Amino acid sequence: MKFKFIKLRKISWKLTIIYAFIFSLLLILLNAGILYGVKFFLTQQSTNQVEKASEITAKKILGTPGESTALTDPELLDEAQSNSDINIIITDPKGNIVNSSKNFNTDRSSILSNSDKIRKVEVDETHLVIKNLRIISNGSTKAYLQVAKNMEREYAFIKLLFIIMAIADFI
């Protein structure tokens, strides 16, 4: 009779270990999904902010019909002044920087690329969302515009969330 009790106890321990392993695996997968979803949402939000800031700044540069806005006008940088995570650089058609918010350093060598696409740049601990835009007026290039958003705060939040979830998983 003792022998049967020991055997049943071993099976219960095995079931407990298997249950704990499956539960831990599901918890890790759930947390990974949450982290990926949060990162995707924050990246989309940053992309939308860059898109909006570039549209507003481009409209200001083009001005109203018949009215010309100087590229050196400080009002062109209003979007960057209201948000320190956004940096705006405006160059003349030759590539000389004529107006800049100087909130943080960006890749200035690629300002003249007229890709009009939003790029995500990740170098070391720097995470940027950048859009370069060529502004055309009357068939010729009036200026080049670079709008960049520093995602330092977003990535700090993701790291903190990861640490909290890892501690919860461990416990």
Side-chain angles (χ1 to χ4, degrees):
M1 202 158 190
K2 276 187 171 183
F3 185 70
K4 287 182 182 180
F5 177 72
I6 293 172
K7 207 173 204 182
L8 287 176
R9 187 171 179 156
K10 286 184 179 181
I11 291 174
S12 67
W13 276 105
K14 288 179 184 178
L15 287 175
T16 302
I17 290 171
I18 290 171
Y19 173 75
F21 176 76
I22 291 173
F23 180 74
S24 296
L25 184 65
L26 286 175
L27 194 59
I28 290 169
L29 289 174
L30 177 67
N31 288 343
I34 289 170
L35 283 172
Y36 177 77
V38 167
K39 181 181 177 186
F40 179 79
F41 173 76
L42 293 175
T43 303
Q44 283 299 114
Q45 192 176 26
S46 296
T47 301
N48 292 341
Q49 287 177 337
V50 167
E51 188 71 41
K52 182 182 173 188
S54 63
E55 285 177 18
I56 290 170
T57 307
K59 285 179 183 177
K60 286 180 182 178
I61 290 172
L62 290 172
T64 56
E67 197 179 292
S68 180
T69 304
L71 295 177
T72 57
D73 188 355
E75 288 184 19
L76 295 175
L77 306 176
D78 285 345
E79 292 299 312
Q81 291 170 355
S82 65
N83 186 347
S84 64
D85 289 342
I86 291 182
N87 191 46
I88 297 175
I89 300 173
I90 301 170
T91 68
D92 61 13
K94 294 178 184 176
N96 301 317
I97 296 174
V98 293
N99 208 344
S100 174
S101 60
K102 299 178 185 175
N103 286 344
F104 54 88
N105 291 329
T106 59
D107 181 18
R108 294 180 182 203
S109 63
S110 65
I111 294 173
L112 298 180
S113 71
N114 58 355
S115 65
D116 293 346
K117 289 173 118 180
I118 292 182
R119 296 179 295 134
K120 293 165 190 74
V121 178
E122 296 183 9
V123 179
D124 299 327
E125 290 293 315
T126 304
H127 303 277
L128 301 173
V129 176
I130 299 174
K131 181 171 184 178
N132 293 335
L133 187 63
R134 186 172 87 176
I135 300 172
I136 301 172
S137 177
N138 298 328
S140 64
T141 301
K142 183 173 182 177
Y144 289 95
L145 171 68
Q146 182 182 72
V147 178
K149 177 166 180 8
N150 189 348
M151 294 186 59
E152 182 180 341
R153 291 180 188 170
E154 288 84 350
Y155 274 80
F157 173 74
I158 291 170
K159 286 179 184 179
L160 178 65
L161 185 62
F162 173 77
I163 290 169
I164 291 170
M165 288 181 160
I167 291 170
D169 285 349
F170 181 74
I171 290 173

